[in-house]
Amino acid sequence: EPPAPVITEFKVFDPFPQPITFSETNRRIYFPIEAPDSERMLTIKIFNFIGENVKTLEGLVSGSLREPGEAPSWDGTNFTDESVAPGIYYYSIRLLGHGMHTGKIMVMQ
């Protein structure tokens, strides 16, 4: 059996679920990624519509992380662990040495 192809690129897929209403049953929005197999530092920054950084998430990642529970995620809180207001948020996902992706999240009431 041929070996699985080595992932050398950094890919970011659309966050899900979207739009999101944070609730008891829907606690996280996931950022599915494919990263190289060696561990690298991943930084996700969440910004409000006026560009203020409301949350930064960091951790070491490697490989394909696309399913709920394994994909990096955000719980809808800010730096003081308060729930963010509904609205449009922007995110940037940077994998050290592999560039950055940006996008938009809609948080509903």
Short mmCIF file of all heavy atoms in Angstrom, two decimals, residues 18-70:
data_model
loop_
_atom_site.label_atom_id
_atom_site.label_comp_id
_atom_site.label_asym_id
_atom_site.label_seq_id
_atom_site.Cartn_x
_atom_site.Cartn_y
_atom_site.Cartn_z
N GLN A 18 -21.77 27.76 10.83
CA GLN A 18 -21.83 29.19 10.51
C GLN A 18 -23.09 29.52 9.76
O GLN A 18 -23.39 28.82 8.82
CB GLN A 18 -20.63 29.54 9.64
CG GLN A 18 -19.86 30.57 10.30
CD GLN A 18 -19.16 31.63 9.59
OE1 GLN A 18 -19.35 32.70 10.04
NE2 GLN A 18 -18.35 31.42 8.59
N PRO A 19 -23.85 30.56 10.13
CA PRO A 19 -23.58 31.42 11.29
C PRO A 19 -23.75 30.63 12.58
O PRO A 19 -24.42 29.61 12.57
CB PRO A 19 -24.62 32.53 11.18
CG PRO A 19 -25.73 31.94 10.37
CD PRO A 19 -25.08 30.96 9.43
N ILE A 20 -23.16 31.09 13.66
CA ILE A 20 -23.25 30.37 14.92
C ILE A 20 -24.02 31.18 15.95
O ILE A 20 -23.88 32.40 16.02
CB ILE A 20 -21.86 29.98 15.47
CG1 ILE A 20 -22.03 29.12 16.73
CG2 ILE A 20 -21.00 31.21 15.72
CD1 ILE A 20 -20.80 28.36 17.16
N THR A 21 -24.86 30.47 16.69
CA THR A 21 -25.48 31.02 17.90
C THR A 21 -24.88 30.21 19.04
O THR A 21 -25.11 29.00 19.13
CB THR A 21 -27.01 30.82 17.87
OG1 THR A 21 -27.52 31.45 16.71
CG2 THR A 21 -27.65 31.43 19.11
N PHE A 22 -24.04 30.85 19.86
CA PHE A 22 -23.43 30.11 20.97
C PHE A 22 -24.51 29.80 21.99
O PHE A 22 -25.28 30.68 22.40
CB PHE A 22 -22.29 30.91 21.59
CG PHE A 22 -21.09 31.02 20.70
CD1 PHE A 22 -20.82 32.18 20.01
CD2 PHE A 22 -20.24 29.93 20.53
CE1 PHE A 22 -19.71 32.28 19.17
CE2 PHE A 22 -19.13 30.02 19.69
CZ PHE A 22 -18.87 31.19 19.02
N SER A 23 -24.62 28.52 22.40
CA SER A 23 -25.67 28.09 23.31
C SER A 23 -25.18 26.87 24.08
O SER A 23 -24.05 26.41 23.87
CB SER A 23 -26.93 27.72 22.52
OG SER A 23 -26.67 26.58 21.72
N GLU A 24 -26.04 26.31 24.91
CA GLU A 24 -25.66 25.12 25.68
C GLU A 24 -25.27 23.97 24.76
O GLU A 24 -24.38 23.20 25.06
CB GLU A 24 -26.84 24.67 26.56
CG GLU A 24 -27.05 25.54 27.79
CD GLU A 24 -25.82 25.56 28.70
OE1 GLU A 24 -25.31 24.49 29.06
OE2 GLU A 24 -25.35 26.67 29.03
N THR A 25 -25.97 23.85 23.63
CA THR A 25 -25.72 22.72 22.74
C THR A 25 -24.71 23.05 21.65
O THR A 25 -24.17 22.15 21.02
CB THR A 25 -27.03 22.28 22.06
OG1 THR A 25 -27.63 23.43 21.45
CG2 THR A 25 -27.99 21.69 23.06
N ASN A 26 -24.47 24.32 21.42
CA ASN A 26 -23.58 24.76 20.35
C ASN A 26 -22.51 25.64 20.97
O ASN A 26 -22.65 26.84 21.02
CB ASN A 26 -24.41 25.58 19.36
CG ASN A 26 -24.04 25.29 17.93
OD1 ASN A 26 -23.30 24.37 17.64
ND2 ASN A 26 -24.58 26.09 17.04
N ARG A 27 -21.47 25.03 21.49
CA ARG A 27 -20.54 25.79 22.32
C ARG A 27 -19.32 26.29 21.59
O ARG A 27 -18.58 27.10 22.12
CB ARG A 27 -20.06 24.91 23.47
CG ARG A 27 -21.14 24.62 24.47
CD ARG A 27 -20.50 24.28 25.81
NE ARG A 27 -21.50 24.31 26.86
CZ ARG A 27 -22.06 23.22 27.36
NH1 ARG A 27 -21.70 22.03 26.93
NH2 ARG A 27 -22.95 23.32 28.30
N ARG A 28 -19.06 25.78 20.39
CA ARG A 28 -17.80 26.11 19.73
C ARG A 28 -17.99 26.28 18.24
O ARG A 28 -18.82 25.64 17.63
CB ARG A 28 -16.76 25.00 19.95
CG ARG A 28 -16.46 24.79 21.41
CD ARG A 28 -15.21 23.95 21.65
NE ARG A 28 -14.70 24.31 22.96
CZ ARG A 28 -13.80 25.26 23.19
NH1 ARG A 28 -13.27 25.92 22.20
NH2 ARG A 28 -13.41 25.54 24.40
N ILE A 29 -17.15 27.15 17.66
CA ILE A 29 -17.02 27.21 16.21
C ILE A 29 -15.65 26.62 15.88
O ILE A 29 -14.66 26.93 16.54
CB ILE A 29 -17.22 28.64 15.65
CG1 ILE A 29 -17.18 28.63 14.13
CG2 ILE A 29 -16.21 29.63 16.24
CD1 ILE A 29 -17.72 29.89 13.48
N TYR A 30 -15.62 25.74 14.90
CA TYR A 30 -14.40 25.00 14.57
C TYR A 30 -13.73 25.59 13.33
O TYR A 30 -14.40 26.03 12.40
CB TYR A 30 -14.73 23.52 14.32
CG TYR A 30 -15.20 22.84 15.58
CD1 TYR A 30 -16.56 22.69 15.84
CD2 TYR A 30 -14.29 22.37 16.53
CE1 TYR A 30 -17.00 22.10 17.01
CE2 TYR A 30 -14.73 21.77 17.70
CZ TYR A 30 -16.08 21.63 17.93
OH TYR A 30 -16.51 21.05 19.09
N PHE A 31 -12.41 25.55 13.36
CA PHE A 31 -11.58 26.03 12.24
C PHE A 31 -10.81 24.84 11.68
O PHE A 31 -9.71 24.55 12.13
CB PHE A 31 -10.60 27.10 12.74
CG PHE A 31 -11.27 28.33 13.28
CD1 PHE A 31 -11.59 28.43 14.63
CD2 PHE A 31 -11.57 29.39 12.45
CE1 PHE A 31 -12.21 29.56 15.14
CE2 PHE A 31 -12.19 30.53 12.95
CZ PHE A 31 -12.51 30.61 14.29
N PRO A 32 -11.41 24.11 10.72
CA PRO A 32 -10.73 22.93 10.20
C PRO A 32 -9.48 23.31 9.41
O PRO A 32 -9.50 24.27 8.62
CB PRO A 32 -11.77 22.26 9.30
CG PRO A 32 -12.89 23.22 9.15
CD PRO A 32 -12.70 24.35 10.10
N ILE A 33 -8.41 22.58 9.64
CA ILE A 33 -7.14 22.87 8.97
C ILE A 33 -6.46 21.59 8.52
O ILE A 33 -6.76 20.51 9.02
CB ILE A 33 -6.15 23.64 9.89
CG1 ILE A 33 -5.82 22.81 11.13
CG2 ILE A 33 -6.71 25.00 10.29
CD1 ILE A 33 -4.60 23.30 11.88
N GLU A 34 -5.55 21.75 7.57
CA GLU A 34 -4.57 20.70 7.27
C GLU A 34 -3.22 21.34 7.39
O GLU A 34 -2.94 22.36 6.77
CB GLU A 34 -4.79 20.12 5.88
CG GLU A 34 -5.93 19.14 5.88
CD GLU A 34 -6.06 18.35 4.60
OE1 GLU A 34 -5.18 18.47 3.72
OE2 GLU A 34 -7.06 17.62 4.47
N ALA A 35 -2.38 20.75 8.23
CA ALA A 35 -1.06 21.29 8.51
C ALA A 35 -0.02 20.21 8.21
O ALA A 35 -0.36 19.03 8.13
CB ALA A 35 -0.98 21.70 9.99
N PRO A 36 1.24 20.61 8.07
CA PRO A 36 2.29 19.60 7.90
C PRO A 36 2.31 18.66 9.12
O PRO A 36 1.80 19.00 10.18
CB PRO A 36 3.57 20.43 7.82
CG PRO A 36 3.13 21.79 7.39
CD PRO A 36 1.77 21.96 7.99
N ASP A 37 2.93 17.49 8.93
CA ASP A 37 2.93 16.50 9.99
C ASP A 37 3.83 16.83 11.17
O ASP A 37 3.67 16.26 12.25
CB ASP A 37 3.29 15.12 9.43
CG ASP A 37 2.09 14.52 8.67
OD1 ASP A 37 0.95 14.95 8.95
OD2 ASP A 37 2.29 13.65 7.83
N SER A 38 4.77 17.74 10.99
CA SER A 38 5.59 18.11 12.15
C SER A 38 4.90 19.25 12.90
O SER A 38 4.29 20.12 12.29
CB SER A 38 6.99 18.54 11.70
OG SER A 38 6.89 19.56 10.74
N GLU A 39 4.99 19.23 14.23
CA GLU A 39 4.26 20.21 15.03
C GLU A 39 4.74 21.63 14.77
O GLU A 39 5.93 21.90 14.69
CB GLU A 39 4.42 19.90 16.53
CG GLU A 39 3.55 18.77 16.98
CD GLU A 39 3.37 18.74 18.49
OE1 GLU A 39 4.26 19.22 19.22
OE2 GLU A 39 2.32 18.24 18.93
N ARG A 40 3.76 22.53 14.65
CA ARG A 40 4.03 23.95 14.47
C ARG A 40 3.06 24.73 15.36
O ARG A 40 1.96 24.26 15.64
CB ARG A 40 3.76 24.38 13.03
CG ARG A 40 4.62 23.72 11.98
CD ARG A 40 5.86 24.52 11.69
NE ARG A 40 6.56 24.11 10.50
CZ ARG A 40 7.30 23.01 10.40
NH1 ARG A 40 7.36 22.17 11.38
NH2 ARG A 40 7.93 22.74 9.28
N MET A 41 3.45 25.96 15.70
CA MET A 41 2.57 26.81 16.50
C MET A 41 1.49 27.42 15.62
O MET A 41 1.78 28.05 14.60
CB MET A 41 3.39 27.93 17.16
CG MET A 41 2.56 28.87 18.01
SD MET A 41 1.66 28.09 19.37
CE MET A 41 3.00 27.84 20.55
N LEU A 42 0.22 27.22 16.02
CA LEU A 42 -0.92 27.80 15.33
C LEU A 42 -1.48 28.92 16.21
O LEU A 42 -1.65 28.74 17.40
CB LEU A 42 -2.01 26.74 15.14
CG LEU A 42 -3.23 27.21 14.35
CD1 LEU A 42 -2.94 27.17 12.86
CD2 LEU A 42 -4.44 26.34 14.66
N THR A 43 -1.71 30.08 15.59
CA THR A 43 -2.29 31.21 16.31
C THR A 43 -3.56 31.64 15.59
O THR A 43 -3.53 31.95 14.40
CB THR A 43 -1.31 32.40 16.36
OG1 THR A 43 -0.08 31.96 16.94
CG2 THR A 43 -1.87 33.55 17.18
N ILE A 44 -4.67 31.64 16.33
CA ILE A 44 -5.94 32.13 15.78
C ILE A 44 -6.28 33.41 16.54
O ILE A 44 -6.30 33.41 17.77
CB ILE A 44 -7.09 31.11 15.97
CG1 ILE A 44 -6.76 29.81 15.23
CG2 ILE A 44 -8.42 31.71 15.46
CD1 ILE A 44 -7.78 28.71 15.45
N LYS A 45 -6.50 34.48 15.81
CA LYS A 45 -6.92 35.74 16.42
C LYS A 45 -8.32 36.07 15.94
O LYS A 45 -8.61 35.97 14.74
CB LYS A 45 -5.96 36.87 16.06
CG LYS A 45 -4.60 36.68 16.70
CD LYS A 45 -3.70 37.89 16.53
CE LYS A 45 -2.42 37.65 17.32
NZ LYS A 45 -1.70 38.87 17.61
N ILE A 46 -9.17 36.47 16.89
CA ILE A 46 -10.54 36.87 16.58
C ILE A 46 -10.61 38.38 16.79
O ILE A 46 -10.16 38.89 17.82
CB ILE A 46 -11.55 36.18 17.53
CG1 ILE A 46 -11.33 34.67 17.60
CG2 ILE A 46 -12.98 36.54 17.13
CD1 ILE A 46 -11.69 33.87 16.39
N PHE A 47 -11.17 39.08 15.79
CA PHE A 47 -11.28 40.54 15.83
C PHE A 47 -12.74 40.94 15.72
O PHE A 47 -13.50 40.30 15.00
CB PHE A 47 -10.53 41.18 14.66
CG PHE A 47 -9.07 40.84 14.62
CD1 PHE A 47 -8.62 39.75 13.89
CD2 PHE A 47 -8.15 41.61 15.31
CE1 PHE A 47 -7.27 39.43 13.85
CE2 PHE A 47 -6.80 41.30 15.28
CZ PHE A 47 -6.35 40.21 14.55
N ASN A 48 -13.12 42.02 16.39
CA ASN A 48 -14.48 42.54 16.20
C ASN A 48 -14.51 43.41 14.95
O ASN A 48 -13.50 43.59 14.27
CB ASN A 48 -15.00 43.26 17.45
CG ASN A 48 -14.18 44.49 17.81
OD1 ASN A 48 -13.43 45.02 17.00
ND2 ASN A 48 -14.34 44.94 19.04
N PHE A 49 -15.69 43.96 14.64
CA PHE A 49 -15.85 44.68 13.36
C PHE A 49 -15.04 45.96 13.29
O PHE A 49 -14.83 46.48 12.20
CB PHE A 49 -17.33 44.92 13.06
CG PHE A 49 -17.98 45.91 14.00
CD1 PHE A 49 -18.10 47.24 13.65
CD2 PHE A 49 -18.45 45.49 15.23
CE1 PHE A 49 -18.70 48.13 14.53
CE2 PHE A 49 -19.04 46.38 16.11
CZ PHE A 49 -19.16 47.71 15.76
N ILE A 50 -14.56 46.49 14.44
CA ILE A 50 -13.70 47.68 14.36
C ILE A 50 -12.23 47.32 14.49
O ILE A 50 -11.37 48.17 14.63
CB ILE A 50 -14.09 48.77 15.39
CG1 ILE A 50 -14.07 48.23 16.81
CG2 ILE A 50 -15.44 49.36 15.05
CD1 ILE A 50 -14.21 49.32 17.87
N GLY A 51 -11.95 46.02 14.41
CA GLY A 51 -10.56 45.59 14.33
C GLY A 51 -9.87 45.34 15.66
O GLY A 51 -8.67 45.11 15.68
N GLU A 52 -10.62 45.37 16.77
CA GLU A 52 -10.00 45.07 18.06
C GLU A 52 -9.86 43.55 18.22
O GLU A 52 -10.78 42.81 17.90
CB GLU A 52 -10.88 45.59 19.21
CG GLU A 52 -10.99 47.08 19.25
CD GLU A 52 -12.06 47.56 20.22
OE1 GLU A 52 -13.07 46.85 20.43
OE2 GLU A 52 -11.89 48.67 20.75
N ASN A 53 -8.71 43.13 18.72
CA ASN A 53 -8.47 41.71 18.96
C ASN A 53 -9.23 41.32 20.23
O ASN A 53 -8.92 41.81 21.32
CB ASN A 53 -6.96 41.50 19.12
CG ASN A 53 -6.55 40.05 19.34
OD1 ASN A 53 -5.45 39.79 19.79
ND2 ASN A 53 -7.40 39.10 19.02
N VAL A 54 -10.26 40.47 20.10
CA VAL A 54 -11.05 40.09 21.27
C VAL A 54 -10.59 38.78 21.90
O VAL A 54 -10.89 38.49 23.05
CB VAL A 54 -12.56 40.04 20.98
CG1 VAL A 54 -13.08 41.43 20.60
CG2 VAL A 54 -12.90 39.03 19.90
N LYS A 55 -9.86 37.96 21.12
CA LYS A 55 -9.38 36.68 21.66
C LYS A 55 -8.23 36.19 20.81
O LYS A 55 -8.24 36.35 19.60
CB LYS A 55 -10.51 35.64 21.63
CG LYS A 55 -10.20 34.36 22.36
CD LYS A 55 -10.45 34.50 23.85
CE LYS A 55 -10.47 33.16 24.54
NZ LYS A 55 -11.12 33.21 25.85
N THR A 56 -7.22 35.60 21.46
CA THR A 56 -6.13 34.94 20.75
C THR A 56 -6.03 33.53 21.29
O THR A 56 -6.01 33.31 22.50
CB THR A 56 -4.80 35.69 20.97
OG1 THR A 56 -4.92 37.01 20.43
CG2 THR A 56 -3.64 34.98 20.27
N LEU A 57 -6.00 32.56 20.37
CA LEU A 57 -5.89 31.15 20.74
C LEU A 57 -4.60 30.62 20.14
O LEU A 57 -4.32 30.87 18.96
CB LEU A 57 -7.08 30.37 20.17
CG LEU A 57 -8.45 30.97 20.48
CD1 LEU A 57 -9.49 30.44 19.51
CD2 LEU A 57 -8.85 30.66 21.91
N GLU A 58 -3.83 29.89 20.92
CA GLU A 58 -2.56 29.35 20.41
C GLU A 58 -2.39 27.90 20.83
O GLU A 58 -2.85 27.51 21.90
CB GLU A 58 -1.38 30.14 20.98
CG GLU A 58 -1.24 31.51 20.37
CD GLU A 58 0.06 32.19 20.79
OE1 GLU A 58 0.42 32.11 21.98
OE2 GLU A 58 0.70 32.78 19.92
N GLY A 59 -1.72 27.15 20.00
CA GLY A 59 -1.40 25.77 20.36
C GLY A 59 -0.57 25.12 19.28
O GLY A 59 -0.52 25.60 18.15
N LEU A 60 0.08 24.03 19.64
CA LEU A 60 0.86 23.26 18.67
C LEU A 60 -0.08 22.33 17.92
O LEU A 60 -0.92 21.66 18.54
CB LEU A 60 1.95 22.45 19.38
CG LEU A 60 3.07 23.28 19.99
CD1 LEU A 60 3.96 22.41 20.86
CD2 LEU A 60 3.90 23.94 18.89
N VAL A 61 0.06 22.29 16.61
CA VAL A 61 -0.78 21.42 15.79
C VAL A 61 0.08 20.67 14.78
O VAL A 61 1.18 21.10 14.45
CB VAL A 61 -1.87 22.21 15.02
CG1 VAL A 61 -2.82 22.92 15.98
CG2 VAL A 61 -1.26 23.19 14.04
N SER A 62 -0.47 19.56 14.30
CA SER A 62 0.15 18.84 13.18
C SER A 62 -0.89 17.98 12.51
O SER A 62 -1.86 17.54 13.15
CB SER A 62 1.31 17.97 13.68
OG SER A 62 0.83 16.97 14.55
N GLY A 63 -0.72 17.79 11.21
CA GLY A 63 -1.60 16.90 10.46
C GLY A 63 -2.95 17.50 10.12
O GLY A 63 -3.15 18.70 10.16
N SER A 64 -3.89 16.61 9.81
CA SER A 64 -5.23 17.01 9.37
C SER A 64 -6.16 17.07 10.57
O SER A 64 -6.36 16.07 11.25
CB SER A 64 -5.75 15.99 8.35
OG SER A 64 -7.03 16.35 7.92
N LEU A 65 -6.68 18.27 10.86
CA LEU A 65 -7.57 18.48 12.00
C LEU A 65 -8.85 19.11 11.46
O LEU A 65 -8.97 20.32 11.36
CB LEU A 65 -6.91 19.41 13.02
CG LEU A 65 -5.55 18.96 13.56
CD1 LEU A 65 -4.92 20.05 14.39
CD2 LEU A 65 -5.68 17.68 14.37
N ARG A 66 -9.80 18.25 11.10
CA ARG A 66 -10.97 18.75 10.39
C ARG A 66 -12.29 18.46 11.08
O ARG A 66 -13.30 19.05 10.75
CB ARG A 66 -11.00 18.20 8.97
CG ARG A 66 -9.78 18.68 8.21
CD ARG A 66 -9.78 18.30 6.76
NE ARG A 66 -10.88 18.86 6.03
CZ ARG A 66 -11.00 18.75 4.70
NH1 ARG A 66 -10.09 18.13 4.01
NH2 ARG A 66 -12.04 19.27 4.09
N GLU A 67 -12.30 17.53 12.03
CA GLU A 67 -13.55 17.12 12.67
C GLU A 67 -13.80 17.91 13.95
O GLU A 67 -12.86 18.33 14.62
CB GLU A 67 -13.50 15.62 13.02
CG GLU A 67 -13.31 14.73 11.81
CD GLU A 67 -14.41 14.90 10.77
OE1 GLU A 67 -15.59 14.94 11.16
OE2 GLU A 67 -14.09 15.02 9.58
N PRO A 68 -15.09 18.04 14.36
CA PRO A 68 -15.38 18.66 15.66
C PRO A 68 -14.64 17.87 16.75
O PRO A 68 -14.57 16.66 16.69
CB PRO A 68 -16.89 18.49 15.82
CG PRO A 68 -17.41 18.31 14.44
CD PRO A 68 -16.32 17.63 13.66
N GLY A 69 -14.10 18.58 17.70
CA GLY A 69 -13.37 17.90 18.76
C GLY A 69 -11.88 17.81 18.48
O GLY A 69 -11.09 17.69 19.41
N GLU A 70 -11.47 17.87 17.21
CA GLU A 70 -10.04 17.87 16.91
C GLU A 70 -9.60 19.17 16.24
O GLU A 70 -8.49 19.62 16.44
CB GLU A 70 -9.63 16.66 16.06
CG GLU A 70 -10.27 16.61 14.69
CD GLU A 70 -9.72 15.47 13.82
OE1 GLU A 70 -9.17 14.49 14.37
OE2 GLU A 70 -9.84 15.58 12.59
#
